[in-house]
Amino acid sequence: MERKKKMSLAVWIFIGLALGIAVGLMFTGNPEFANNYIKPFGTLFLNLIKFIVVPIVMFSIMTGVISMSDLRKVGSVGIKTILYYMCTTSFAVFVGLFFANIFKGSFIQLSTAGLEYTAAEAPGFIETLINIFPDNIISPMSNATMLQVIVMALFFGFGTIMAGEKGKPFSDFVESANEVSMKIMDSIIQLSPIGVFCLIVPVVATNGASILGSLALVLLVAYIAYIAHAVIVYSLTLKGFVGIHPITFFKGMMPAIMMAFSSASSVGALPLNLECVEKLGARKDIASFVLPLGATINMDGTAIYQGLSAVFIATCYGINLTMSQQLTIILTATLASIGTAGVPGAGMIMLAMVLQSVGLPVEGIALVAGVDRIFDMGRTSVNITGDAACALIVSKLEDKKDARIMAKMV
Ligand code: ASP
């Protein structure tokens, strides 16, 4: 039932996109109507996204940290899993940035009409470091300074664990607030078809058909980066740690990958993913810990998409990202992908946080929003493949550890 609903939303989004492009082309050369009467509704949709991003990040990170009190019990499995997830995700952002920088020259710069934006001064490294730590709890939320929001969430998360029994009511509140925020986000995502329509019309009307070529190109680059990451990172780590042939792995994973591709939801693909990794040799107890955790915090595809989109949007606005800005993107996109829920469209919402962290205009999301579903199908497939690779690797490492312990005992 649930799946059917999600699929039809995707169809609606495509209809919104196609209609938006058609209407946008009709207004080319005469974009006033589109800018005055259609664009405001696109802005409304973006405002909703901006509105929900802070609570989503706050509560999902707090929930994640608080659940680490269980992670400690799971001990070595937990540490290995988190290590693999963090390393592969930051590498994924790097892959996204790498391909974006190669193809950057072919992304077009938009007509400046209607883009009232002046580049924010990029702060230096020490300043960035100091700025990560908020001096009060209100301003990070009201200014949506995402790194500060994350630091705050981490502190409150760890504080809750340290408070023990006394922290229980707060932890229950956070869990419930997380659920509520997710539901609100879900409703905002339901508005995507209209949002997409209202966002793409003025973009096409102002920039003409040339923007479409640029969008097709950035999509192509995204898929190249997705495939490169999956083939290089997962094949190599699986070969190295598990000794499994990459073809065997990808073949065995096909049902789960297809499910992820069509539903654009890591959570939706979870049951099939569990089945696939067990058939490939993962331990059931380990897979049932590693995969659900991965479906919530490990999003390599999303990280690639966020790195790439940040460069694409910057280029469209005529902004050249500095090295330190790109490093900030690696950091924030890694964290943003952790905070991304495994549901359709969530990665695009978290893109707002990545853009804000380097002073890029959040309005830039309008450029990629129209085709987000196509990005999403690919990134979700990468997301769940990363979770599966981790489950196999940790199973193997734990097997080896158990064998060593057994050998010592005899
Ligand atoms: N749809 C993705 C997933 O479920 C999340 C995202 O939007 O990036 O894994």
Side-chain angles (χ1 to χ4, degrees):
M1 243 349 239
E2 178 77 347
R3 212 176 115 208
K4 245 187 175 162
K5 208 173 107 209
K6 295 254 159 74
M7 295 292 279
S8 73
L9 176 67
V11 174
W12 279 111
I13 292 175
F14 279 122
I15 294 176
L17 172 66
L19 273 179
I21 292 176
V23 174
L25 286 175
M26 273 163 41
F27 284 111
T28 320
N30 181 22
E32 284 75 29
F33 182 84
N35 281 327
N36 293 339
Y37 297 101
I38 299 179
K39 196 176 169 186
F41 294 98
T43 310
L44 191 156
F45 177 64
L46 282 179
N47 281 351
L48 289 178
I49 291 181
K50 286 196 227 170
F51 148 77
I52 199 62
V53 73
V54 169
I56 287 277
V57 173
M58 280 260 297
F59 295 123
S60 69
I61 291 189
M62 279 191 209
T63 315
V65 173
I66 294 170
S67 73
M68 271 206 219
S69 52
D70 294 327
L71 254 188
R72 255 186 283 174
K73 281 183 223 133
V74 202
S76 77
V77 176
I79 292 171
K80 286 180 190 117
T81 307
I82 298 284
L83 258 182
Y84 185 83
Y85 283 167
M86 293 298 283
C87 294
T88 51
T89 304
S90 19
F91 189 76
V93 192
F94 171 77
V95 170
L97 288 175
F98 175 77
F99 282 101
N101 281 299
I102 291 183
F103 286 92
K104 196 163 76 174
S106 313
F107 299 151
I108 59 154
Q109 190 179 331
L110 295 182
S111 132
T112 41
L115 299 178
E116 321 77 6
Y117 171 71
T118 38
E121 186 75 32
F125 179 73
I126 293 288
E127 211 184 322
T128 309
L129 191 71
I130 291 170
N131 284 345
I132 290 176
F133 295 90
D135 60 2
N136 68 82
I137 60 168
I138 308 292
S139 72
M141 290 194 273
S142 72
N143 301 329
T145 329
M146 296 319 296
L147 281 176
Q148 293 189 346
V149 171
I150 289 173
V151 169
M152 229 165 76
L154 291 174
F155 273 119
F156 274 94
F158 287 122
T160 314
I161 297 177
M162 290 188 290
E165 252 327 285
K166 289 245 165 80
K168 187 81 180 59
F170 185 73
S171 133
D172 289 342
F173 161 74
V174 170
E175 200 179 310
S176 154
N178 190 33
E179 278 304 310
V180 173
S181 314
M182 292 283 180
K183 283 280 171 285
I184 298 175
M185 183 187 71
D186 242 7
S187 329
I188 297 174
I189 290 173
Q190 298 297 321
L191 294 175
S192 306
I194 304 171
V196 160
F197 173 84
C198 299
L199 287 171
I200 201 92
V201 171
V203 170
V204 176
T206 314
N207 297 283
S210 58
I211 184 71
L212 298 178
S214 209
L215 277 179
L217 178 68
V218 73
L219 274 169
L220 179 74
V221 177
Y223 274 81
I224 295 175
Y226 293 155
I227 294 171
H229 181 78
V231 169
I232 298 168
V233 177
Y234 306 146
S235 298
L236 283 183
T237 50
L238 280 168
K239 190 98 191 107
F241 288 106
V242 188
I244 185 172
H245 196 283
I247 304 222
T248 317
F249 171 70
F250 286 111
K251 228 167 138 188
M253 280 299 295
M254 236 354 122
I257 292 178
M258 271 156 51
M259 179 65 187
F261 189 79
S262 53
S263 70
S265 166
S266 297
V267 175
L270 190 56
L272 259 180
N273 204 6
L274 274 164
E275 209 178 297
C276 290
V277 292
E278 275 171 40
K279 279 195 189 141
L280 283 166
R283 270 167 54 173
K284 196 182 166 76
D285 56 337
I286 291 179
S288 54
F289 163 76
V290 172
L291 292 188
L293 183 70
T296 357
I297 66 162
N298 183 47
M299 310 266 168
D300 293 358
T302 304
I304 293 174
Y305 153 84
Q306 287 167 341
L308 169 65
S309 300
V311 176
F312 174 70
I313 290 168
T315 312
C316 287
Y317 278 83
I319 300 160
N320 215 343
L321 291 171
T322 62
M323 201 58 197
S324 91
Q325 279 176 310
Q326 301 213 19
L327 285 176
T328 309
I329 290 178
I330 296 194
L331 182 66
T332 36
T334 303
L335 296 168
S337 72
I338 293 173
T340 302
V343 295
M348 186 185 74
I349 292 187
M350 301 303 281
L351 179 61
M353 155 179 164
V354 179
L355 296 180
Q356 271 163 345
S357 74
V358 282
L360 287 173
V362 175
E363 289 64 30
I365 293 182
L367 300 169
V368 283
V371 287
D372 185 65
R373 187 66 179 203
I374 310 177
F375 280 116
D376 201 359
M377 297 192 308
R379 64 185 190 240
T380 309
S381 307
V382 179
N383 291 346
I384 65 126
T385 312
D387 302 341
C390 182
L392 286 164
I393 290 170
V394 176
S395 294
K396 189 71 177 188
L397 293 176
E398 287 300 298
D399 277 350
K400 278 190 186 157
K401 198 175 116 197
D402 290 351
R404 272 201 308 273
I405 295 172
M406 287 295 277
K408 265 192 202 150
M409 275 168 33
V410 284

